[in-house]
């Protein structure tokens, strides 16, 4: 934020300052005024050598002309890395004289502030910025400069007061919360620091308005990883106790700390399914699917797409279900459960039955004695008009299934009824 001052230092005098007449009202312009005007023409035409000559002669005629001192100082300080220390010192001296003669000129003051910061004269720079920030109409960036100067000098009470002023202008933001956190850390207020960073992680990460710069800062903070580890341990404990509502709450907390962590959405949706709340499960899937982008090789993304397809099927949104299965198989073509469910979905829709058979047959090649896969293959064959072939598969599915299954029984009746 201090860099804003350095950028401002490159600007010329304000239009109002440039127009300020050096002649007393009612008198003719002096020779110095004419020389300065010529210098400004060379300045605008980017002719620094000619500008220097005019300013040099102008200062011979009027050694106390603040505007001329300012522009001569800029010429001497320009490309100061390549200049000798004596030239730089001369430029700084001219600038100090210009400010002493006209302390109300904002351009002179801003260049002086940047020079003081460059020389690490922070106390002097701070005094000037404080004066600047005492105006009724103060900008956010000017206060940011003041805040950074206070922090550089370890003046944390003043820094905290400046954060309050920033929030009065633009409201509380992740950036001001981060500044508070840093101040608390530097002053040993560990409890306040911990509370601030936890609140910031919880509120800023899920907010799409949070800048990438701030998001990166937060996700690199040690507390971020500590929170995720704590949540993982709590989720494991809740899963072992079969406290499904507690798991859902932990999943949602995890989603706040890491919005793109697909496992939280999958786990939340899965537990809503266990609790037989299909709409809540669908909501969790939809929120998680916002973070699935193709192409990707993320296996959890494939699992979430597959589960989303299953849930859409439960609410009879077969088109959305089909789209989710397509995405799942684009991510992981070896996902047998997605192949099985997608094949069954196509059979229900009565389309792409050749593809449905190929996918279903693949599942049986992997697990030939899986009752679910056998049932799907039998149903695909039945929907394709091959009910006689389907009978051996549905019979095998019922034989291998350890429990009575109403769906299997219905499928068997339908298959055997068709000649």
């Amino acid at each position: 934020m201090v860099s804003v001052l350095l950028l401002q230092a490159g600007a010329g005098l304000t239009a109002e300052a440039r127009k300020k007449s050096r002649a007393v009202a009612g008198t003719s312009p002096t020779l110095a005024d004419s020389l300065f005007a010529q210098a400004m023409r060379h300045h605008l035409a980017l002719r620094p050598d000619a500008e220097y000559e005019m300013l040099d002669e102008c200062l011979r005629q009027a050694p106390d002309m603040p505007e001329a001192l300012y522009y001569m100082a800029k010429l001497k300080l320009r490309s100061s890395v390549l200049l000798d220390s004596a030239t730089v010192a001369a430029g700084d001296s001219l600038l100090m004289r210009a400010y002493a003669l006209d302390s109300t000129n904002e351009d002179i003051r801003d260049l002086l502030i940047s020079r003081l910061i460059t020389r690490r004269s922070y106390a002097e720079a701070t005094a000037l910025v404080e004066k600047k920030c005492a105006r009724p109409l103060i900008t956010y960036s000017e206060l940011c400069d003041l805040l950074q100067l206070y922090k550089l000098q370890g003046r944390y009470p003043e820094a905290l007061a400046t954060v309050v002023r920033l929030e009065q202008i633009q409201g509380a933001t992740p950036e001001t919360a981060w500044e508070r956190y840093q101040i608390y850390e530097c002053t040993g207020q560990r409890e306040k620091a911990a509370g601030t960073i936890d609140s910031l992680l919880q509120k800023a990460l899920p907010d799409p308005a949070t800048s990438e710069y701030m998001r990166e800062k937060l996700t690199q903070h040690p507390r971020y990883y500590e929170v995720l580890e704590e949540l993982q341990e709590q989720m494991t404990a809740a899963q072992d106790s079969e406290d499904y509502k507690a798991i859902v709450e932990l999943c949602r907390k995890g989603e706040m700390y890491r919005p793109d962590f697909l496992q939280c959405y999958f786990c939340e949706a899965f537990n809503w399914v266990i609790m037989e709340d299909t709409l809540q499960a669908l909501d969790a899937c939809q929120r998680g699917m916002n973070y699935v982008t193709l192409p990707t090789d993320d296996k959890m993304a494939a699992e979430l797409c597959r589960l989303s397809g299953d849930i859409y099927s439960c609410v009879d949104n077969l088109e959305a279900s089909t789209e989710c299965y397509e995405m799942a198989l684009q991510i992981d073509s070896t996902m047998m459960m997605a192949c099985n469910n997608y094949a069954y979905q196509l059979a229900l829709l009565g389309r792409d039955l050749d593809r449905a058979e190929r996918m279903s047959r693949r599942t049986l090649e992997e697990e030939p004695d899986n009752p679910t896969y056998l049932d799907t293959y039998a149903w695909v064959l039945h929907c394709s008009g091959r009910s006689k072939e389907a009978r051996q598969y549905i019979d095998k599915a019922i034989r291998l299934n350890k429990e009575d299954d109403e769906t299997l029984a219905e499928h068997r009746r339908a298959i055997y009824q068709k000649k």
Side-chain angles (χ1 to χ4, degrees):
M1 296 180 184
V2 173
S3 62
V4 173
L5 288 173
L6 297 176
L7 290 172
Q8 290 173 342
L13 289 172
T14 61
E16 183 179 351
R18 287 197 299 270
K19 292 176 182 177
K20 189 188 296 182
S21 173
R22 296 198 42 79
V24 178
T27 65
S28 301
T30 65
L31 176 59
D33 292 326
S34 298
L35 290 167
F36 181 74
Q38 291 182 55
M40 290 301 94
R41 283 194 286 272
H42 291 308
H43 174 78
L44 294 172
L46 303 178
R47 295 191 291 264
D49 292 340
E51 178 188 354
Y52 183 93
E53 289 181 12
M54 291 299 102
L55 287 173
D56 187 54
E57 185 58 33
C58 175
L59 288 171
R60 291 178 192 277
Q61 298 295 323
D64 293 335
M65 183 187 288
E67 298 94 329
L69 289 167
Y70 167 78
Y71 277 100
M72 182 62 86
K74 284 185 68 176
L75 283 174
K76 289 182 178 292
L77 293 170
R78 189 173 61 187
S79 304
S80 58
V81 175
L82 304 176
L83 299 175
D84 59 275
S85 58
T87 305
V88 174
D92 284 335
S93 177
L94 290 168
L95 186 59
M96 290 293 292
R97 280 182 59 200
Y99 182 74
L101 289 164
D102 187 1
S103 62
T104 63
N105 188 296
E106 293 182 7
D107 299 303
I108 295 174
R109 180 197 59 207
D110 287 346
L111 180 57
L112 179 56
I113 290 170
S114 72
R115 289 300 303 156
L116 291 171
I117 292 171
T118 300
R119 297 188 339 233
R120 299 187 179 182
S121 300
Y122 297 132
E124 295 174 65
T126 303
L128 291 179
V129 177
E130 284 176 332
K131 186 176 180 180
K132 184 178 178 181
C133 292
R135 305 192 321 270
L137 297 176
I138 183 69
T139 69
Y140 193 86
S141 63
E142 288 169 339
L143 280 176
C144 286
D145 293 333
L146 182 59
L147 172 62
Q148 297 309 314
L149 283 167
Y150 283 144
K151 287 169 64 180
L152 282 170
Q153 299 167 85
R155 296 170 61 178
Y156 297 115
E158 292 100 323
L160 192 57
T162 306
V163 171
V164 173
R165 293 180 68 186
L166 286 168
E167 291 177 338
Q168 289 171 345
I169 292 176
Q170 210 169 65
T173 65
E175 286 73 20
T176 56
W178 179 261
E179 294 292 353
R180 282 180 182 276
Y181 160 72
Q182 289 187 309
I183 292 168
Y184 291 144
E185 277 284 314
C186 291
T187 53
Q189 301 180 69
R190 298 302 167 85
E191 189 173 334
K192 285 186 176 181
T196 302
I197 194 64
D198 280 358
S199 176
L200 185 54
L201 285 166
Q202 184 175 345
K203 293 177 181 177
L205 288 177
D207 187 352
T210 300
S211 67
E212 287 302 317
Y213 172 75
M214 180 54 60
R215 198 178 298 279
E216 184 177 357
K217 274 184 173 293
L218 293 175
T219 54
Q220 290 178 353
H221 192 278
R223 181 60 184 152
Y224 173 72
Y225 298 100
E226 291 173 7
V227 169
L228 291 182
E229 287 177 10
E230 291 169 6
L231 284 171
Q232 191 67 47
E233 291 171 1
Q234 293 169 12
M235 287 174 68
T236 301
Q239 194 78 53
D240 292 341
S241 67
E242 298 185 351
D243 188 347
Y244 304 122
K245 288 186 177 180
I247 296 170
V248 165
E249 289 304 314
L250 290 168
C251 287
R252 288 190 168 177
K253 192 173 182 182
E255 291 159 17
M256 286 192 296
Y257 280 102
R258 186 176 169 185
D260 63 341
F261 194 30
L262 300 180
Q263 186 173 354
C264 286
Y265 301 101
F266 178 87
C267 185
E268 182 190 343
F270 184 77
N271 281 277
W272 281 121
V273 170
I274 293 174
M275 291 187 284
E276 300 181 347
D277 193 330
T278 305
L279 293 181
Q280 289 282 15
L282 184 58
D283 176 68
C285 284
Q286 288 173 333
R287 285 185 280 111
M289 289 289 286
N290 289 329
Y291 297 95
V292 176
T293 55
L294 298 178
T296 179
D297 57 358
D298 186 350
K299 300 294 185 183
M300 181 49 63
E303 291 286 358
L304 182 63
C305 290
R306 193 270 306 165
L307 181 59
S308 298
D310 294 347
I311 295 172
Y312 274 121
S313 181
C314 289
V315 296
D316 294 325
N317 190 340
L318 302 188
E319 293 299 329
S321 176
T322 299
E323 185 179 339
C324 290
Y325 289 141
E326 282 281 8
M327 290 179 67
L329 291 173
Q330 282 185 54
I331 299 167
D332 183 5
S333 61
T334 66
M335 181 180 285
M336 291 300 102
M337 185 60 74
C339 281
N340 175 80
N341 296 358
Y342 193 14
Y344 186 71
Q345 189 78 37
L346 290 174
L348 291 176
L349 290 168
R351 72 186 190 207
D352 294 335
L353 294 177
D354 289 342
R355 184 185 180 195
E357 184 188 349
R358 290 194 301 272
M359 286 193 294
S360 185
R361 191 165 56 242
R362 279 187 63 198
T363 66
L364 289 178
E365 289 169 0
E366 291 290 328
E367 298 182 50
D369 294 331
N370 185 312
T372 300
Y373 296 169
L374 286 163
D375 172 57
T376 296
Y377 191 61
W379 195 248
V380 171
L381 291 174
H382 170 69
C383 292
S384 301
R386 298 157 62 184
S387 296
K388 288 184 179 180
E389 293 178 61
R391 290 172 185 175
Q392 61 176 310
Y393 293 101
I394 193 65
D395 287 344
K396 186 177 179 180
I398 290 174
R399 187 169 64 252
L400 292 174
N401 198 51
K402 296 179 180 179
E403 299 177 359
D404 291 336
D405 189 301
E406 186 177 339
T407 300
L408 289 178
E410 288 179 1
H411 283 177
R412 188 177 186 277
R413 284 193 295 271
I415 291 168
Y416 270 88
Q417 283 173 1
K418 194 164 184 179
K419 299 295 185 181

